[in-house]
Amino acid sequence: PKILDYFKAQQPLYTVQVDGIDYVKVYPGPVPLPEDLERIQFPLSLSFGEQIRLLGYDLNNSKLKSGDELVVTFYWQFLESPPPDLTLNISLDNRDGNLLNSSEGSLLNGYLALDQIAPGTVIRDVRKLTIAPGTLPGHYHLKVGWFSPNKGQALEVSKVQGNSLHHTLALVHVHGSEGAGFSDGTGD
C-alpha cells in the first residue's frame, strides 16, 4: 500500500518496545510541524512554476559511497493547486551530465493526491536514491524537478525574486575519494 511505502522511506522518530520487542514505530507525518521547518538542514526559497515552492531539504548522510542509499527529505509549499499529473524527478548526474541514477514518482509516493492539497499547505516528502554499485568517487550533482507528462514539460525553477534557473535544480554536489561526501550547492 502507498501509505506503507511513504513511511518505509523514513527513519522512525522512536520505537515503543514491550518486553524488549519492537511493538510500535512512530514516524513523522507528511505535514511538518513549525519547529521542523525551523530545522531544515538546507533552507531554500525556490519556485517551481507558479504552484510550488521548495523551502529546503534534509539529507540523511553527508558521506556516501557506491551502493549506499541517499535519503532526501524535501519541504514543498503548495502556493496553488498543481496539475494532478505532476511527477517529481530526482537524479544523480556526473560532471558531464551523464545520468547515473534517477527516481520518478508522485508526491508522497501517491499517498496523497495533488488535488487534495490546499493552497498554502507545506508537505514533507521523503525520497530515496541508491548510489549505483560501481559508482566511482568523484563530483556528482543531485537534481530535482517537477514534470507534467500530459503537457510534456517541466515546471521552470526560479528564485523567489524571479530569476529563472532551469527546469531542474542541482541541489548538492557529491565529492569524494574513498566515499562521496556532500556540500551544499544550489545550481547557481
Side-chain angles (χ1 to χ4, degrees):
K2 294 176 182 177
I3 190 170
L4 294 179
D5 289 339
Y6 171 73
F7 289 110
K8 272 195 320 189
Q10 302 183 59
Q11 292 285 32
L13 295 172
Y14 56 90
T15 302
V16 176
Q17 293 187 333
V18 176
D19 295 327
I21 298 171
D22 290 353
Y23 186 69
V24 174
K25 293 183 179 183
V26 179
Y27 293 88
V31 178
L33 299 171
E35 56 266 24
D36 295 332
L37 298 177
E38 293 172 8
R39 292 190 300 254
I40 293 175
Q41 190 178 9
F42 298 101
L44 298 169
S45 189
L46 299 167
S47 293
F48 286 74
E50 300 288 322
Q51 302 96 347
I52 304 170
R53 180 171 296 148
L54 177 59
L55 301 177
Y57 62 97
D58 300 331
L59 298 174
N60 68 320
N61 197 343
S62 61
K63 298 280 185 194
L64 295 168
K65 61 185 181 309
S66 173
D68 283 352
E69 195 167 64
L70 172 65
V71 179
V72 184
T73 302
F74 295 104
Y75 296 88
W76 300 105
Q77 181 179 35
F78 290 83
L79 306 174
E80 55 184 62
S81 295
D85 72 320
L86 281 182
T87 59
L88 183 62
N89 304 291
I90 62 172
S91 66
L92 190 65
D93 301 349
N94 67 16
R95 282 187 175 193
D96 298 326
N98 297 318
L99 178 68
L100 297 176
N101 200 352
S102 68
S103 172
E104 178 179 316
S106 302
L107 182 73
L108 304 173
N109 293 320
Y111 168 51
L112 180 65
L114 289 173
D115 60 3
Q116 295 177 327
I117 299 172
T121 301
V122 176
I123 297 290
R124 175 198 348 254
D125 187 29
V126 180
R127 299 285 165 157
K128 287 185 175 184
L129 190 65
T130 301
I131 308 302
T135 299
L136 297 174
H139 187 96
Y140 301 90
H141 299 277
L142 176 69
K143 295 182 179 180
V144 61
W146 287 91
F147 182 76
S148 171
N150 290 343
K151 292 183 179 179
Q153 65 185 33
L155 295 181
E156 187 172 328
V157 181
S158 61
K159 294 180 182 179
V160 172
Q161 296 82 5
N163 297 333
S164 177
L165 296 174
H166 302 288
H167 294 291
T168 60
L169 174 68
L171 293 177
V172 293
H173 304 287
V174 182
H175 303 276
S177 54
E178 293 296 316
F182 283 99
S183 65
D184 183 29
T186 56
D188 291 343

